[in-house]
Amino acid sequence: EPEVTQTPSHQVTQMGQEVILRCVPISNHLYFYWYRQILGQKVEFLVSFYNNEISEKSEIFDDQFSVERPDGSNFTLKIRSTKLEDSAMYFCASSVLVGETQYFGPGTRLLVL
Amino acid sequence: GESVGLHLPTLSVQEGDNSIINCAYSNSASDYFIWYKQESGKGPQFIIDIRSNMDKRQGQRVTVLLNKTVKHLSLQIAATQPGDSAVYFCAESSKSNFGNEKLTFGTGTRLTIIP
């Protein structure tokens, strides 16, 4: 069964450093998403992406965040200058079409020191 | 405002019994609802969804009920098994200009199946 994959599974970084989190969505899916989950809290929407453009983003997704589809398979989330409060699980998701089921990857646990 | 909340943070059920997990939502414009299961260290796993034009939907051992009048959603798991132990999240979305995109998650209920 096809699934969303994410790398790395864990990332430790120093405050102020840039990180790139990678995702490979399900191959025939056209919509891609990033969510995050701070330890013990709800899963929160960050951004949705379609046709090489951001289609919706939350207030969390400020200028420090960017997303890219650098090739036909990868979907990345970049945090330019990490802050302590960026420590969280980051989940990538994809769906065939907008409004269809979003399937989640296993997540990347980001720890900012 | 938009919020999705769960009534109970933890639930313990004897193996083989049925379980019911409840969820309240506040956005009356929500028209798509999903239940996800999250096991430790893993991402949310889709269980079942329902759209606002329905009030009940059944899957394998799972049933979702939607009561739009009181903005309430429930997940029933029949004949629970040890593998059902996990945190269960409800999520909702409403149509934006681009369709249903952003999912708003509840806080989660931890279901523990007692052998």
Side-chain angles (χ1 to χ4, degrees):
Chain A
E1 185 177 316
E3 55 186 23
V4 177
T5 59
Q6 290 184 243
T7 54
S9 58
H10 294 78
Q11 174 93 47
V12 180
T13 190
Q14 295 291 323
M15 189 171 57
Q17 295 296 303
E18 173 184 288
V19 294
I20 298 176
L21 310 183
R22 291 183 166 79
C23 168
V24 179
I26 295 172
S27 63
N28 63 331
H29 286 191
L30 300 178
Y31 287 81
F32 315 120
Y33 314 85
W34 283 101
Y35 291 80
R36 78 172 187 190
Q37 185 179 29
I38 295 171
L39 187 64
Q41 297 186 23
K42 300 179 189 181
V43 177
E44 301 172 289
F45 170 81
L46 292 178
V47 67
S48 58
F49 189 87
Y50 168 71
N51 198 27
N52 283 320
E53 289 184 346
I54 290 173
S55 53
E56 189 170 355
K57 61 182 180 180
S58 71
E59 58 265 23
I60 302 169
F61 195 89
D62 61 22
D63 291 345
Q64 293 300 311
F65 291 87
S66 62
V67 289
E68 192 179 24
R69 186 139 162 92
D71 54 44
S73 60
N74 288 283
F75 178 51
T76 63
L77 174 70
K78 182 193 290 187
I79 309 175
R80 254 180 282 279
S81 178
T82 50
K83 303 187 283 283
L84 296 176
E85 54 265 37
D86 293 328
S87 295
M89 281 288 284
Y90 287 81
F91 294 108
C92 173
S94 68
S95 64
V96 176
L97 295 171
V98 68
E100 297 296 320
T101 304
Q102 294 183 25
Y103 293 91
F104 283 73
T108 293
R109 184 173 295 282
L110 176 66
L111 179 60
V112 182
L113 301 176
Chain B
E2 293 180 356
S3 69
V4 181
L6 295 172
H7 293 308
L8 295 173
T10 62
L11 177 65
S12 295
V13 174
Q14 205 72 38
E15 182 179 352
D17 287 352
N18 300 334
S19 68
I20 299 176
I21 300 171
N22 296 302
C23 178
Y25 64 95
S26 61
N27 184 2
S28 55
S30 297
D31 58 1
Y32 179 52
F33 305 88
I34 316 99
W35 282 101
Y36 285 94
K37 172 186 180 183
Q38 188 176 27
E39 296 173 283
S40 181
K42 297 184 179 179
Q45 176 190 352
F46 170 81
I47 302 173
I48 192 167
D49 58 4
I50 189 167
R51 299 199 182 267
S52 58
N53 60 350
M54 302 174 70
D55 52 22
K56 181 178 179 178
R57 192 158 186 233
Q58 287 184 288
Q60 188 177 16
R61 287 198 305 118
V62 293
T63 301
V64 55
L65 298 176
L66 175 63
N67 185 331
K68 294 181 287 294
T69 304
V70 296
K71 299 195 192 72
H72 185 268
L73 187 70
S74 68
L75 175 70
Q76 301 176 359
I77 306 174
T80 52
Q81 304 167 356
D84 295 330
S85 293
V87 176
Y88 289 81
F89 293 96
C90 62
E92 57 87 12
S93 74
S94 55
K95 280 196 170 56
S96 67
N97 290 335
F98 303 96
N100 298 87
E101 290 195 77
K102 167 185 144 180
L103 293 180
T104 300
F105 280 78
T107 52
T109 292
R110 181 174 297 283
L111 175 66
T112 301
I113 306 303
I114 304 165

